[in-house]
Amino acid sequence: MGKSVLIVDDSASVRQVVGMTLRGAGYTVLEASDGRDALGKLGDSRVNLVISDVNMPGMDGISFLKEMKARPANKFTPVIMLTTESGDSRKQAGKEAGARAWIVKPFQPAQLLEAVSKLVGP
Amino acid sequence: MNLVKSHDTHQESGEDNADALSQYLSFQIKGESYAIGILSIREIIQYGRVTSVPMMPDFIHGVINLRGAVVPVIDLARRFGKSATQINRRTCVVLIELPNEGGENETQLLGLLVDTVNEVVDIPPEAVLPPPAFGSRIRSDFILGMGKLADDFIIVLNVPRILSRGDMEWVNQLDHSALKADAN
Amino acid sequence: MSLSDALPTFLAEARGLLEAMETALGVLDGNPNDTGAINSLFRAAHTIKGSAGLFGLDHIVDFTHEMESVLDRVRDGALSLNSSRIELMLLCRDHIDRLLEVVEIGSEPDEALLTQGEELTARLRQDLPASAASPSDPIHWAPVTGDDPVRNLGSDPTEGDTLWHLSLRFGRDVLRHGMDPLSFIHYLNTLGEVRQVYTVTDALPPAEEMDPESCYLGFEIRLHSEADKQCIEDVFDFVREESQIRILPPGAHFPQFLALMQAVPEDNHRLGEILVGCGAITERELEHMLDAQARQKSDASPTSAPRLGEALVQEERIQPELVGAALRRQQEVRRRQAQESRLLRVRADKLDSLIDLVGELVIAGAGLQAQVQGQGDTALHESAQEIARLVDGIRDGAMNLRLVEIGETFSRFGRVVRDVSRETGKDIALRIEGAETELDKTVVERLADPLTHLVRNAIDHGIESPEIRQARSKPSQGQLHLGARHEAGSVVIEIMDDGGGLDRERILAKAKERGLLPSDAEPDDAEVWNLIFEPGFSTAQSVSNLSGRGVGMDVVKQAIDALRGGIEIESSPGQGSTFRIRLPLSLAIIDGFRVSVSGNEYVVPLDMVLECMEMPRDLTEGETPHLNLRGDVLPLLPLGAFFGLPKASVTRRNIVVVQWGGRSAGLLVDELQGQLQAVIKPLGPLFKGLPGISGSTILGSGEVALVLDVPGLLERVVSVDSASYLQ
């Protein structure tokens, strides 16, 4: 069984393409449409990587990150935040919440795959 | 001597252009008197130290050193189709300045070989008559007009015409013809 | 499953977002400050942009990006949504809708739609600050302690030089941030092959102090990779801020770095810029080092901060050899710039009048020498000698003032070659040699046009198209070589191409057709090549845009003749042509050799004189125009006969052997008068084209002497049967 990745984004198409890309590369992919949904899907289980949008209805990416890091199971889970150029002010908040990897939207699936393999290996 | 006189007149007349326009330098070639407007005359020097240039038409007498500048000297007698000027102690070179053909604002200095320089004469514009259609001793297009003096006429020369390169075209034709003549 | 399978999801989602947009805009129309509606509007644009990017729908990304930027400002309170902005947003929404329709039918936006998009973009931009470029994230570097020298990893002697050396010290918090050092090391294998890993455990605290969540490890890694430094550095993007990452390039890359250093533009004369320019360090490393330097400067006394090169070596980011090479390059650039800044601009006419004066001085000096010769006064003689020596020095110095390097003229041809190559669809490399060769300024200026013509000719007619070259099994890239060098008192300039060469048969046919040659003539190659200098002679079958316009080679030849120079051609079919221009070093003052013929004085440029001798007694005139000079047959030119001078009665005549451009001949003269310095005076337009005479000079006596045109005379020797003069 491959490594598991949770993708959190309110855009179904983003989830679909990211999911497709990562599955194609051998990862197991979970999907959630916002932070609340993601925390629920995670429960007490552990994933190898979380990819999360910042700007989402319901619970946004930063709040989600803080709550996730507070849970022992995913304290060390690497997170890739999806951001936009215009969302730079958010980046500082994300940094404080423990995010280090950022990918600027829009991105190509290949770029994402490269970042994922840097963080968790192929 | 008249050399000094003509030169001084030139200097003075520089301040009064209207006057200068009607002043001419008269000189002699083969016993004939000719005149040139003094405005184109730079100076008059005694003949001396001319270097001949080979393979040039016979009316190109040679070149002289005028205070560091190399200036061609034209034998007017030859240009008029007469025999070459006989050099003696009265022989002079009249230096004239002409606009350079093809060069903007550039002038070309040329020397004219004359037997003797006479004097500066006043010929008012109304006293310069058109050249005769025929009967003169030199080509009529070399003549600018006939200057009427007290008791005589003097030929006023059309210097640019005499020295025009278009008319002379000497070197290029000469180059080949001279060589051929020599080679045969 | 492929990307296009996900497209319907995207379209449905985007349409939903457009609906949400419309709803939000409806709300905002009544209540422009409704935060929820503003957020929803922003998010819709944001999400469409993000998704469109994944599908490579760049036009939708670009458009929604502008929209998003405006909405971002609205969200921040910098802009208010008045009715005109709401109307604009509605128009934008509709535009996106139309873009989606185009995507759905699998087509591309048409002209009208693109224009509409541009108009809307322009309106959106009115609401953005002048530069809407996204502010980049400032890079913060962890302070570098620099006290952990990398000595732990033994290098493999067999391939050590081809391996990158990575020195990694991960930050304490990387694990907490979800970063696993191992995964980065694994990732390195995608760039090449990790050959050795050495784990550095020096930082491990005693067990009781150890925090299991902290990272204490460092790694020394030797990596085999063809990737560049930037690429390797990028692997550590996510941990760079909190870790120390040092990457030493392999020694085997040095030659490449050194070559690249030479190519770094000369205006970059700072060490860091040179190192970044050649790829030995990355922008980020430079920025980091400069920051550290600045910090140290403000912390300690201003002088104690190490210099950039030292610091880079100290931190093992780069090898000392590379710093050394970069420093040398820097000095070279600085020296050149310093030289340039030491230049003094002088009006050319001031210089010319100085040169004229020096010319007068040389003549006056010669006059003085002549007079002193006759005196018996030794002291006077010595003084005169001393003055002569000084005049020599002044003359050389003054002539030197006029010398400029030809390189500037050459380098202009880079542009010509590029432009003309593009116009003709040819691939041509320009190689320049001897750019530092100095020439008289006037010569360089007057050479520009003929050189341009020759270069264009070489590109246009010489070098073939890549297809033809390949068919002839030549490299598809043509070579054009421009070279200059000094050679025996003259300057030689070569324009060499590796094209098809001149077409002997075509030139011959044309020359015969034009009556330049009798129909049965069989001239040798050199004579054939010279035919192209005949006025109006052009062999280009199709008159192209570039050259072959009729005015051409004859003008080139005239320009070079006017400089008292010569041009010769070498050409071989299929291999290319060489045009060799030979010019005198100086135009104004030369060393000359004075001879007399029939009482006339002539000056021969000394650098063209090989030797002088008495005419051998057994060589009587009229017998043969040749002289046997130590086994070589030397044609003789009797100068007096050539110039049509009356024959002088001289008991014994002399021969001056002259040489120019590989040809030599003996000039038959009456007397040898010795050497002199000759100030060249032009003879003026009256004497233009006079064969055998190139100018004049004024002797010490004040007399004018004519300067012989040796190249011209040599041509006559070959072209005219000199036997005819001897009769």
Side-chain angles (χ1 to χ4, degrees), chain C residues 383-449:
Chain C
S383 296
Q385 284 296 314
E386 180 62 9
I387 285 177
R389 198 182 59 76
L390 291 171
V391 169
D392 270 4
I394 289 173
R395 178 195 71 156
D396 290 348
M399 295 320 293
N400 238 325
L401 292 180
R402 291 193 54 89
L403 293 185
V404 293
E405 291 186 359
I406 199 169
E408 210 176 300
T409 304
F410 274 3
S411 56
R412 269 189 292 172
F413 289 114
R415 180 72 194 277
V416 175
V417 170
R418 244 189 341 274
D419 289 354
V420 182
S421 304
R422 205 177 319 115
E423 284 167 49
T424 54
K426 293 174 185 175
D427 181 12
I428 295 166
L430 175 68
R431 203 154 46 88
I432 288 175
E433 240 175 77
E436 71 290 344
T437 308
E438 287 190 320
L439 259 165
D440 190 279
K441 188 172 180 298
T442 313
V443 179
V444 171
E445 281 163 6
R446 293 201 223 154
L447 260 183
D449 281 349

Side-chain angles (χ1 to χ4, degrees), chain C residues 177-213:
Chain C
H177 294 147
M179 308 295 162
D180 182 355
L182 257 185
S183 52
F184 295 107
I185 296 170
H186 280 307
Y187 187 81
L188 283 175
N189 275 323
T190 63
L191 298 178
E193 193 187 333
V194 174
R195 292 280 167 87
Q196 278 175 298
V197 179
Y198 177 87
T199 310
V200 180
T201 52
D202 302 359
L204 275 179
E208 60 271 21
E209 289 169 28
M210 198 182 295
D211 175 356
E213 293 185 357

Side-chain angles (χ1 to χ4, degrees), chain C residues 429-687:
Chain C
L430 175 68
R431 203 154 46 88
I432 288 175
E433 240 175 77
E436 71 290 344
T437 308
E438 287 190 320
L439 259 165
D440 190 279
K441 188 172 180 298
T442 313
V443 179
V444 171
E445 281 163 6
R446 293 201 223 154
L447 260 183
D449 281 349
L451 275 184
T452 308
H453 195 91
L454 290 173
V455 165
R456 283 180 157 259
N457 246 335
I459 302 172
D460 200 23
H461 305 311
I463 294 175
E464 316 92 326
S465 65
E467 300 77 49
I468 296 179
R469 290 181 66 88
Q470 271 164 0
R472 293 178 178 174
S473 49
K474 290 159 95 165
S476 61
Q477 187 182 53
Q479 298 286 328
L480 184 66
H481 169 101
L482 270 179
R485 61 175 189 271
H486 285 283
E487 195 182 280
S490 58
V491 176
V492 175
I493 294 166
E494 280 179 342
I495 301 98
M496 192 155 70
D497 67 64
D498 67 345
L502 295 177
D503 188 336
R504 183 186 156 96
E505 292 316 313
R506 227 165 74 209
I507 296 172
L508 261 184
K510 188 154 182 179
K512 287 175 181 174
E513 176 196 313
R514 293 185 161 221
L516 294 167
L517 281 178
S519 56
D520 57 346
E522 272 304 322
D524 64 25
D525 278 354
E527 286 170 87
V528 174
W529 307 150
N530 271 326
L531 288 168
I532 68 171
F533 294 124
E534 292 294 324
F537 199 99
S538 172
T539 60
Q541 275 169 338
S542 66
V543 174
S544 81
N545 182 28
L546 301 167
S547 45
R549 280 163 299 192
V551 295
M553 297 306 274
D554 55 326
V555 180
V556 170
K557 174 107 166 80
Q558 273 172 26
I560 290 162
D561 283 348
L563 293 168
R564 294 194 288 122
I567 180 165
E568 60 190 41
I569 306 175
E570 272 172 31
S571 185
S572 52
Q575 313 254 310
S577 312
T578 301
F579 287 79
R580 191 170 296 120
I581 299 171
R582 205 176 286 269
L583 295 163
L585 266 185
S586 155
L587 284 181
I589 304 181
I590 60 164
D591 283 311
F593 189 77
R594 194 151 64 103
V595 299
S596 69
V597 182
S598 306
N600 294 280
E601 308 248 358
Y602 297 97
V603 173
V604 192
L606 192 64
D607 52 40
M608 299 174 190
V609 175
L610 269 189
E611 61 181 299
C612 301
M613 66 186 75
E614 284 197 328
M615 193 170 98
R617 291 194 185 281
D618 54 349
L619 185 81
T620 49
E621 284 175 58
E623 178 189 311
T624 164
H626 290 93
L627 169 74
N628 188 333
L629 183 66
R630 292 180 291 275
D632 281 336
V633 175
L634 193 70
L636 279 183
L637 181 73
L639 219 47
F642 180 78
F643 285 151
L645 304 173
K647 200 175 265 184
S649 53
V650 185
T651 47
R652 190 94 186 261
R653 300 171 89 182
N654 288 281
I655 292 170
V656 180
V657 180
V658 292
Q659 183 198 38
W660 172 262
R663 286 180 189 169
S664 50
L667 302 179
L668 201 53
V669 301
D670 294 347
E671 280 168 58
L672 306 176
Q673 309 274 15
Q675 293 185 23
L676 82 164
Q677 288 189 347
V679 181
I680 305 279
K681 303 275 181 182
L683 268 179
L686 264 185
F687 304 98

